[in-house]
Amino acid sequence: MLAVGALAVSLTSRPDTMSPGIGAAADGPPNIIFILADDLGYGDLGCYRPASAGINIIRTPNLDRLAAQGMRFTDFYAGNTVCAPSRCALMTGMHMGHAQIRGNGEKPLRREDVIIPEVLKKAGYATGMFGKWGLGMPDTEGAPHRKGWDEFYGHVNHVEAHFQQHPFLWEISKGETVKVDQPAGSYNNEAFTQKALSFLARHKAQPFLLYLAFTIPHAELHTPAKYLNQYKHKNGQSRFQPEIPFPAGNHYGEQATPKAAYAAMVTQLDDYVGQVLKKLDALGIANNTMVLFASDNGTHIEGGRSLDDVALMGSSGPLRGIKRDLFDGGIRTPFIVRWPGRVKAGAVNGFIGAFYDVLPTLSSVAGATLPNPVDGISFLPTLLDQKNQSVHPYLYWEFYERGFSRAVRSGQWKAVSLAPKAGSETVYLFDLDKDPGERTNVASQHTDIVARMKAYMAEAHTPSPLFSPQYRP
């Protein structure tokens, strides 16, 4: 059962209560491309950085151009602070109090978890997914071939996706998800991009959904030389000194220059996005294609990266925290939408939304019908600069590693509850209008607001047979 507040909002904005094709252009429903980065920080893109970033800036010209041609959201959030539950929220439209997958691990979606490709496929869309899936192994109900994808080429397993040159991937063949070997020395994300470009060429004459889920800049910090060399001086030294090499013998591969490698992987990601945008232009379909871009959670400190590196490179921007935190640095994401002729170019918007809003929004855009209520709301009115935008009473997250933690955002207020052991809950309250970096806990000054935020947390959470709160002693 859905939380009362979430249900009230969801039912007012379900696509099946709206005119079919409300977002579609006169020549039919638009193509939809959703590009997802893996562990990209809020401050890693040039368009999210202050002009004073200086020599530490990471070059992202294609994503900066995408933002200039579309709408850049300042207050949009991922589904969770790690990848599997965040992707579950994206696909299902459910927040962490209701989602099937609320933590990392190989837990699959169920048959009854209706997701984006299933909804759009019924509306006549061709569906293709290339990259990191992580929502069901091949023998489960969550396998790609059972969840609405016409085409799939990528990782089904999270651990396999940790490595940039994994020797095999998976694809849909003859109605099954099967293993496919990779050429020696090849980079998996390059393969994802080439498969995506081929998909675009083959489906340019019909509405399509393309989900391109890269595994960068997630560790391992391993990238082709043409990108790494952009962050090295002519003598081969990293631009980001001092570098502390990450040695061999760990889970992730060794890397002599982790800072340069991370920056290079962000630029690698940007280059792949640029290839997709260029292909749309070449095929003559850019004007009827909605392109969305986001990251699954905040930046990481894995594979040789450190908190000092995050600070040096400004990866979390002005926000507090990183991946595995429920402070905004762990969950607020760069979010960009370009839709020529429909979304105003160069727009910057403070709509407070989350991944679980994507399903109802894309359903509205495509004129599709949602079979069940969801926690998300359509932000299509915001994209079209209309005045009838519904708003969330609150956004909700919960996280199961390091003890059970929860977070709620309601308007300007953000509450984070940390419970490292049973009976010792600590609740932080922040006024994000005055304190976007979540530096000053004002819980003691606003006990009434704390009580309301805790009530939201209680309302939003439902028990899960797969995930139960665990407290460390």
Side-chain angles (χ1 to χ4, degrees):
M1 184 190 314
L2 295 182
V4 174
L7 179 57
V9 175
S10 298
L11 290 179
T12 64
S13 58
R14 283 181 59 184
D16 54 348
T17 68
M18 309 169 84
S19 300
I22 186 172
D27 56 348
N31 308 310
I32 297 169
I33 300 176
F34 195 102
I35 302 174
L36 188 65
D38 198 348
D39 290 9
L40 180 79
Y42 184 84
D44 279 330
L45 303 185
C47 56
Y48 279 86
R49 286 175 173 269
S52 59
I55 62 169
N56 291 331
I57 193 168
I58 301 173
R59 289 188 288 271
T60 55
N62 295 298
L63 284 162
D64 297 344
R65 190 179 309 116
L66 186 73
Q69 295 171 345
M71 182 176 288
R72 177 172 65 85
F73 287 77
T74 60
D75 290 67
F76 211 89
Y77 289 84
N80 205 315
T81 187
V82 292
C83 61
S86 190
R87 292 157 199 264
C88 178
L90 173 67
M91 285 289 126
T92 65
M94 307 300 280
H95 65 51
M96 288 298 100
H98 302 138
Q100 165 72 358
I101 301 171
R102 306 186 190 184
N104 271 344
E106 304 309 325
K107 304 296 185 184
L109 293 172
R110 302 163 297 183
R111 187 182 305 241
E112 60 264 35
D113 296 317
V114 180
I115 66 171
I116 292 173
E118 294 175 297
V119 172
L120 267 61
K121 189 176 176 67
K122 289 184 177 180
Y125 277 66
T127 61
M129 192 249 155
F130 308 99
K132 180 177 174 179
W133 176 234
L135 298 177
M137 297 293 284
D139 59 346
T140 70
E141 291 182 349
H145 67 276
R146 294 191 174 101
K147 297 308 294 180
W149 296 114
D150 297 326
E151 299 182 31
F152 168 78
Y153 194 90
H155 298 289
V156 292
N157 178 287
H158 289 94
V159 177
E160 292 171 3
H162 288 179
F163 306 104
Q164 305 302 330
Q165 294 182 294
H166 200 273
F168 63 85
L169 297 170
W170 299 82
E171 67 177 352
I172 294 177
S173 177
K174 299 179 180 179
E176 298 290 336
T177 301
V178 299
K179 189 182 298 185
V180 54
D181 292 334
Q182 295 299 290
S186 64
Y187 285 83
N188 299 150
N189 285 281
E190 178 69 28
F192 304 153
T193 304
Q194 294 307 311
K195 290 288 185 179
L197 299 179
S198 174
F199 177 87
L200 293 177
R202 287 182 284 107
H203 295 282
K204 63 180 181 179
Q206 66 182 116
F208 61 76
L209 165 68
L210 168 62
Y211 176 38
L212 185 51
F214 293 111
T215 65
I216 46 179
H218 193 299
E220 73 183 338
L221 302 179
H222 184 49
T223 183
K226 66 179 179 179
Y227 301 112
L228 185 58
N229 289 342
Q230 295 181 41
Y231 293 92
K232 290 185 175 182
H233 298 298
K234 290 183 178 180
N235 63 4
Q237 285 192 328
S238 168
R239 284 177 43 201
F240 303 97
Q241 294 295 338
E243 289 273 21
I244 301 175
F246 186 67
N250 292 283
H251 174 70
Y252 298 109
E254 65 181 312
Q255 175 52 251
T257 57
K259 295 172 190 168
Y262 182 87
M265 291 172 75
V266 176
T267 295
Q268 179 187 0
L269 166 72
D270 181 80
D271 181 50
Y272 293 149
V273 172
Q275 291 183 43
V276 171
L277 300 180
K278 184 177 180 180
K279 189 69 170 181
L280 294 177
D281 290 337
L283 294 172
I285 58 175
N287 286 341
N288 195 38
T289 302
M290 172 188 277
V291 179
L292 305 94
F293 175 86
S295 176
D296 64 343
N297 48 249
T299 190
H300 66 82
I301 52 169
E302 300 170 0
R305 206 156 187 255
S306 69
L307 285 174
D308 288 341
D309 298 347
V310 172
L312 172 70
M313 304 177 80
S315 289
S316 292
L319 308 178
R320 174 181 179 178
I322 58 171
K323 177 180 180 180
R324 289 186 169 82
D325 290 326
L326 288 182
F327 300 109
D328 270 16
I331 53 177
R332 200 189 299 195
T333 176
F335 195 80
I336 301 168
V337 181
R338 187 189 80 171
W339 189 8
R342 307 308 302 277
V343 172
K344 183 179 178 181
V348 179
N349 198 282
F351 171 76
I352 301 171
F355 270 11
Y356 42 92
D357 295 328
V358 173
L359 171 56
T361 301
L362 297 188
S363 299
S364 297
V365 166
T369 299
L370 284 179
N372 303 300
V374 294
D375 292 316
I377 61 177
S378 172
F379 55 88
L380 180 60
T382 291
L383 295 175
L384 301 181
D385 197 25
Q386 297 174 347
K387 304 299 183 183
N388 59 332
Q389 177 63 63
S390 299
V391 297
H392 287 281
Y394 59 85
L395 302 179
Y396 176 73
W397 303 265
E398 56 188 48
F399 183 53
Y400 289 77
E401 296 180 27
R402 301 187 294 194
F404 183 56
S405 55
R406 297 168 292 169
V408 168
R409 177 164 182 184
S410 180
Q412 74 195 73
W413 299 103
K414 168 84 178 295
V416 179
S417 168
L418 303 181
K421 60 182 179 180
S424 63
E425 180 183 36
T426 301
V427 178
Y428 298 83
L429 180 70
F430 305 102
D431 182 344
L432 296 184
D433 283 353
K434 299 177 181 178
D435 180 25
E438 298 174 289
R439 306 299 178 190
T440 304
N441 182 9
V442 295
S444 62
Q445 303 167 37
H446 299 281
T447 55
D448 56 332
I449 296 174
V450 171
R452 172 159 57 90
M453 302 296 260
K454 291 181 72 173
Y456 286 151
M457 293 178 185
E459 176 187 75
H461 174 77
T462 59
S464 167
L466 299 179
F467 301 92
S468 60
Q470 298 293 320
Y471 300 95
R472 288 185 178 178

